[in-house]
Amino acid sequence: MAGQSGQTPASSPQKGASKSTMDTRHLLSGLRDALAADQPSQKRLDHVVRLIASAAGAEVCSLYLLRAGEVLELFATIGLNPKAVHHTRLRVGEGLIGSIAAAAGPLATSNAPQHPNFAYRPETGEDPFQSLCGVPLVRGGKVRGVLAIQHKETRAYTAEEIETLQTVAMVLAELVSGGDFIANTETSLNAEEAFGPARLTGMPFNAGMAVGKAILHRAEITIERLLADNPTQEVKRLNAALAAMHASLDSLLQPSGNTDKDEVLEAYRMIASDRGWVGRINEAIRSGLTAEAAVMQVAEQIKTRLSASTDPYLRDRLSDFDDLSRRLLQHLLRPADAFKAAPIPDDAILVARHLGPAELLDIPSAKLRGVILEEGAATSHVVIVARALGIPVLGQCSNALARIEAGDELLLDADNAQVLVRPAEEVRSTFVKSMAARANKARINAEVRALPSVTLDGVSVSLNLNCGLLLDVPQLEMTKADGIGLYRTEIPFLSRGDFPDVAIQTEIYKKVLDQSGGRSVTFRTLDIGGDKFLPYMTHPVEENPALGWRAIRIGLDRPSMLRQQLRALLRAGAGRNLKIMFPMITEVDELMRAKELLEKERERAHERKEEPPTKLEVGAMLEVPALLFQLPALLREVDFLSIGSNDLLQFVLAADRGNRAITSRYDPLSPAVLTMLRSIARECAIAKRPLTLCGELAGQPLEAMALLGIGYRALSLSAGSFDSVKLMLRSLHLGPLTAFMETLMESPDRTLRPKLAAFARDRGVYIEHFR
Ligand code: PEP
Ligand code: MG
């Protein structure tokens, strides 16, 4: 854990870190001379590590380069035993150096020997050195080596020191990719691996199937000139390229009338105008880089910072910045023909490392059948746009660019998280039949959507939608949901460059209410902290952020922030029904304090003669187990209760919701969890308070069936789960299930899943996927 092993997350230097001693500009100009010197390659590398060590005041500077077979070889060092050069080798992932290459990100530790990944190599003579800071050499999205400095003293490294090393590593990555040190053919794939049929797996970001021809999107942009003498000239070039990029984006990102797409593109445009981003590029130019090298360096820094975030939403913004950086580079390097279109087949499947939404729109959507990404996440902008266009996306498909050639035939099966490359004819014809069957099923689902959510014995179940972006709201109509059971208000905050003021927030909430066409909407107040950080707000470094300063805790400590949000919600809800819900309530007192803030805002609005909501309902999210023991008192104070099962279960089971190794260990269908959930349902029924469950549990058909069996009548789930949950409940006799579940609750079994699955099978309850 941070602090204990002395490891410092590279993007958050510890307090008391030694002051930076490296002068980037000076170091870069020394490097330029060293690299230009007419010397054998090895001599130049030796000179380079000496320069870096001296600039960093480090006893050691070492350079490792990647060889075939994922091996990192020590190519140059000052401070370690010179005999280790070309002898010491580490596999990617082995030792601290290997970990830096594996994570493709920097690592800084004040106590290297104590680090869990430390691998001792006696031949290097590194015993006296305590602290280590290493950065990867990345080029074209691939790690080419690792640069590391070491100090005898125990010391932390500042963010500036790490960034300077990253800049230097970028220059070195260019140098070594020239093939002077390792032949470029050494690390490429052998022909057999490249041309046979192959099956690659990934994650289903957007469901669907497609047959088509591969078109490759490679991120490779070669920068020949890295260092510049005249920063003013470079700033001019940058400004011209920025202006050209904005003009071309404006023509590409014309509003389409498709809310989903337009909303994403608006967010993208905002990122393109991010002052912080442009400011950092200017700063890098002032340190001695050319405009193009500065763009690339800032892109690497953003990559390091955002990919270190555990918040998927922030990590997704990475592809937007990457997309913008590439566009800007193209304008800098090839201003005349920056976007000449290559011929695109009529059935294109785009394969990329990651993409921004604008890059997707560069391809006519009529020709685009599917997308395969090596990285990315289901919530990235490009995936949201693809979803709006009905294009299947397979994500996290590692090595796709290495295994797929342009023009290859692909059978993309995003439903089953795979792509078949260069398939045999029999495979192709079976695939085409499955596609037809899928289309047929989609038709049946569409018919079921129009039917009411009622069990076979006539019990109505309210199905509501979980959403967080304006562009999710139209799914209300698509799914025929009863309302929005959970609107995660923090999501629009996460994609912005600054804190939205009351007017902006009011606008967002108004649009949500307008678009929901009178259906009920439950707004959850900001749930930040934990794994969701606002880039423009300082969050403390915490050892256990899920148990830390988050959600209502931040709201109560920063009352003006919460009050602004409540003010915006009251304004948006003027003259209509408004439901507000507070997240992560741990004790009734917190709810009371939140309600007091709401009351103050109501009084303020009243004094200003602002129209109030017709009806205002206030609820709490039950996510923290302590609240279970105050339920009667809580229920007297709320109009409704909503269970956040994602958090509640992680706390009840002491199992991190994001750690697969642990979460799969415990089953939510255990007697303990179901007994707890049943008793909440009973208390709510006694207190006559409406109860909803809005965690992921509600979206899984067997789990949803169990919830109905213990008394739940309202669920909130994501759009993708609607059809399967509705099919389940429309094929269920609830009476027999309720009686059956009563007999199971005392069971000593670790899970009731097999018994519930058997019940469903025997009674013909339609469960789409049995786990
Ligand atoms: C939950 O915890 O179940 C929940 C719905 O909130 P979130 O997933 O946003 O933490
Ligand atoms: Mg939660």
Side-chain angles (χ1 to χ4, degrees):
M1 261 176 214
Q4 283 174 1
S5 66
Q7 183 189 352
T8 309
S11 52
S12 51
Q14 288 177 338
K15 273 194 198 137
S18 310
K19 214 174 151 18
S20 169
T21 49
M22 278 195 272
D23 172 352
T24 317
R25 192 167 168 71
H26 189 246
L27 177 56
L28 286 178
S29 84
L31 269 183
R32 182 175 38 198
D33 295 343
L35 298 179
D38 188 15
Q39 279 183 324
S41 312
Q42 182 67 45
K43 280 241 156 57
R44 280 192 285 159
L45 286 191
D46 294 342
H47 190 171
V48 163
V49 290
R50 259 200 316 278
L51 267 177
I52 300 168
S54 128
E59 282 90 6
V60 176
C61 177
S62 310
L63 178 67
Y64 295 79
L65 298 184
L66 190 71
R67 304 213 69 136
E70 302 279 277
V71 169
L72 291 153
E73 178 176 309
L74 181 63
F75 259 69
T77 184
I78 175 89
L80 296 184
N81 184 353
K83 289 205 177 121
V85 171
H86 298 301
H87 288 285
T88 293
R89 290 177 162 207
L90 294 150
R91 273 175 293 106
V92 170
E94 182 186 2
L96 297 181
I97 299 298
S99 309
I100 293 164
L107 185 153
T109 168
S110 57
N111 195 344
Q114 290 293 312
H115 193 283
N117 292 351
F118 181 73
Y120 180 54
R121 285 306 174 91
E123 78 276 10
T124 60
E126 64 181 330
D127 310 50
F129 307 108
Q130 284 298 309
S131 319
L132 178 143
C133 175
V135 296
L137 271 58
V138 182
R139 189 172 177 280
K142 298 217 161 80
V143 172
R144 313 286 170 140
V146 172
L147 174 70
I149 55 171
Q150 287 172 267
H151 284 82
K152 276 190 187 155
E153 58 172 329
T154 302
R155 50 109 72 201
Y157 294 90
T158 62
E160 298 91 286
E161 284 175 311
I162 295 165
E163 280 176 12
T164 303
L165 274 191
Q166 282 180 309
T167 309
V168 172
M170 185 182 75
V171 175
L172 292 178
E174 290 297 322
L175 173 75
V176 301
S177 64
D180 279 7
F181 303 95
I182 294 172
N184 287 336
T185 48
E186 186 180 313
T187 42
S188 61
L189 288 171
N190 67 39
E192 203 182 306
E193 212 177 354
F195 298 118
R199 175 178 164 275
L200 309 179
T201 56
M203 281 172 60
F205 283 178
N206 193 29
M209 296 169 86
V211 177
K213 302 241 168 13
I215 54 170
L216 306 190
H217 172 283
R218 290 195 195 271
E220 287 272 356
I221 290 183
T222 314
I223 295 185
E224 272 150 22
R225 217 168 51 89
L226 290 158
L227 306 173
D229 284 329
N230 186 345
T232 319
Q233 174 63 23
E234 295 303 309
V235 169
K236 259 195 203 147
R237 289 184 58 227
L238 174 70
N239 290 339
L242 276 169
M245 182 185 84
H246 279 287
S248 80
L249 277 179
D250 284 347
S251 60
L252 191 66
L253 309 184
Q254 289 302 332
S256 66
N258 176 331
T259 343
D260 304 14
K261 228 169 94 181
D262 294 347
E263 164 114 348
V264 164
L265 298 179
E266 199 41 52
Y268 182 80
R269 220 192 288 260
M270 253 155 43
I271 294 173
S273 315
D274 187 295
R275 279 199 300 275
W277 179 55
V278 177
R280 286 168 71 182
I281 299 173
N282 273 295
E283 224 171 82
I285 290 177
R286 281 194 295 276
S287 79
L289 296 177
T290 58
E292 50 271 36
V295 173
M296 201 136 113
Q297 191 225 19
V298 171
E300 282 303 324
Q301 285 170 0
I302 291 175
K303 180 171 176 186
T304 306
R305 288 183 183 197
L306 293 191
S307 50
S309 162
T310 51
D311 175 17
Y313 207 81
L314 281 190
R315 280 209 309 266
D316 297 346
R317 298 293 72 75
L318 189 60
S319 13
D320 293 337
F321 276 112
D322 232 48
D323 179 4
L324 286 167
S325 305
R326 264 199 310 274
R327 275 172 190 275
L328 191 52
L329 283 174
Q330 279 166 324
H331 283 287
L332 274 165
L333 297 170
R334 294 184 286 125
D337 63 343
F339 298 103
K340 246 188 211 154
I344 292 167
D346 287 341
D347 54 352
I349 295 185
L350 179 60
V351 186
R353 184 160 66 90
H354 51 223
L355 278 180
E359 285 169 307
L360 189 75
L361 297 176
D362 282 338
I363 299 169
S365 60
K367 293 184 167 195
L368 191 61
R369 299 280 178 274
V371 174
I372 298 171
L373 301 174
E374 289 191 336
E375 299 177 359
T379 49
S380 50
H381 278 158
V382 66
V383 178
I384 294 170
V385 173
R387 205 170 291 144
L389 299 172
I391 295 167
V393 184
L394 177 69
Q396 300 280 338
C397 182
S398 37
N399 275 331
L401 281 169
R403 305 293 298 276
I404 298 172
E405 292 293 320
D408 276 348
E409 169 143 76
L410 303 179
L411 306 180
L412 172 60
D413 181 1
D415 294 354
N416 292 304
Q418 62 174 353
V419 57
L420 305 169
V421 187
R422 302 172 290 270
E425 186 43 44
E426 324 77 82
V427 177
R428 185 185 199 282
S429 63
T430 315
F431 189 88
V432 170
K433 278 187 203 137
S434 310
M435 269 178 80
R438 185 186 192 279
N440 196 29
K441 183 167 175 295
R443 221 194 47 248
I444 295 170
N445 282 352
E447 284 166 15
V448 170
R449 251 173 246 160
L451 301 173
S453 304
V454 184
T455 64
L456 286 177
D457 41 0
V459 179
S460 281
V461 178
S462 170
L463 292 185
N464 300 275
L465 197 63
N466 287 350
C467 47
L469 278 173
L470 208 46
L471 56 86
D472 294 333
V473 179
Q475 290 172 336
L476 262 179
E477 191 41 48
M478 202 186 82
T479 55
K480 309 277 183 235
D482 293 315
I484 296 179
L486 169 65
Y487 185 85
R488 293 178 160 107
T489 57
E490 65 278 4
I491 304 290
F493 283 61
L494 293 170
S495 61
R496 296 179 52 90
D498 52 8
F499 202 88
D501 62 18
V502 177
I504 294 174
Q505 290 190 52
T506 309
E507 201 52 34
I508 297 174
Y509 308 143
K510 246 193 198 146
K511 278 190 188 159
V512 175
L513 289 169
D514 291 347
Q515 289 182 18
S516 61
R519 291 176 168 109
S520 104
V521 178
T522 305
F523 289 97
R524 175 174 77 180
T525 61
L526 276 184
D527 184 6
I528 48 174
D531 60 353
K532 288 174 261 186
F533 298 111
L534 302 183
Y536 39 85
M537 188 176 153
T538 318
H539 292 267
V541 176
E542 298 178 306
E543 290 207 358
N544 288 306
L547 306 177
W549 198 55
R550 53 176 291 203
I552 196 66
R553 300 169 185 183
I554 298 183
L556 294 176
D557 290 351
R558 298 274 184 277
S560 64
M561 196 169 96
L562 180 54
R563 282 186 64 169
Q564 282 184 29
Q565 182 172 37
L566 295 171
R567 195 175 309 155
L569 284 167
L570 288 170
R571 283 183 188 165
R576 13 192 191 191
N577 292 348
L578 179 65
K579 290 174 95 172
I580 297 178
M581 166 162 92
F582 296 106
M584 278 289 286
I585 297 286
T586 305
E587 50 189 19
V588 176
D589 176 67
E590 282 178 343
L591 176 80
M592 303 307 287
R593 286 193 281 146
K595 280 176 60 172
E596 269 165 34
L597 296 179
L598 179 60
E599 208 36 54
K600 282 190 182 146
E601 282 306 318
R602 289 179 72 183
E603 281 162 16
R604 186 178 192 274
H606 181 70
E607 278 159 19
R608 285 160 195 248
K609 308 212 176 347
E610 289 171 2
E611 187 186 3
T614 324
K615 184 176 171 197
L616 173 63
E617 289 172 88
V618 178
M621 273 189 88
L622 176 46
E623 305 181 89
V624 181
L627 206 52
L628 290 170
F629 304 98
Q630 274 196 302
L631 265 186
L634 178 82
L635 292 174
R636 281 195 291 277
E637 294 300 332
V638 291
D639 298 307
F640 63 92
L641 188 70
S642 186
I643 298 181
S645 60
N646 306 338
D647 275 314
L648 183 61
L649 293 197
Q650 82 164 339
F651 299 136
V652 159
L653 297 170
D656 181 346
R657 63 191 264 189
N659 181 342
R660 280 177 189 226
I662 305 295
T663 41
S664 56
R665 209 180 170 98
Y666 305 102
D667 196 329
L669 294 183
S670 70
V673 171
L674 291 174
T675 305
M676 170 186 75
L677 294 175
R678 183 182 63 173
S679 92
I680 301 169
R682 284 181 176 168
E683 292 210 45
C684 284
I686 292 168
K688 297 198 170 41
R689 287 292 178 272
L691 170 67
T692 310
L693 187 139
C694 64
E696 295 306 307
L697 213 55
Q700 290 152 25
L702 193 66
E703 282 78 347
M705 183 187 93
L707 290 170
L708 300 185
I710 54 172
Y712 285 71
R713 297 293 178 265
L715 303 174
S716 192
L717 42 149
S718 51
S721 307
F722 256 74
D723 293 342
S724 53
V725 170
K726 199 166 201 179
L727 281 166
M728 176 278 292
L729 73 89
R730 287 187 54 84
S731 59
L732 170 73
H733 273 106
L734 193 48
L737 172 69
T738 309
F740 177 64
M741 287 198 68
E742 279 305 310
T743 67
L744 298 180
M745 303 300 268
E746 308 271 296
S747 155
D749 296 355
R750 67 170 287 270
T751 172
L752 301 178
R753 184 174 299 277
K755 288 183 176 138
L756 289 167
F759 176 94
R761 277 197 195 99
D762 295 349
R763 306 283 178 135
V765 184
Y766 183 82
I767 302 287
E768 196 161 84
H769 300 291
F770 279 106
R771 272 207 291 138

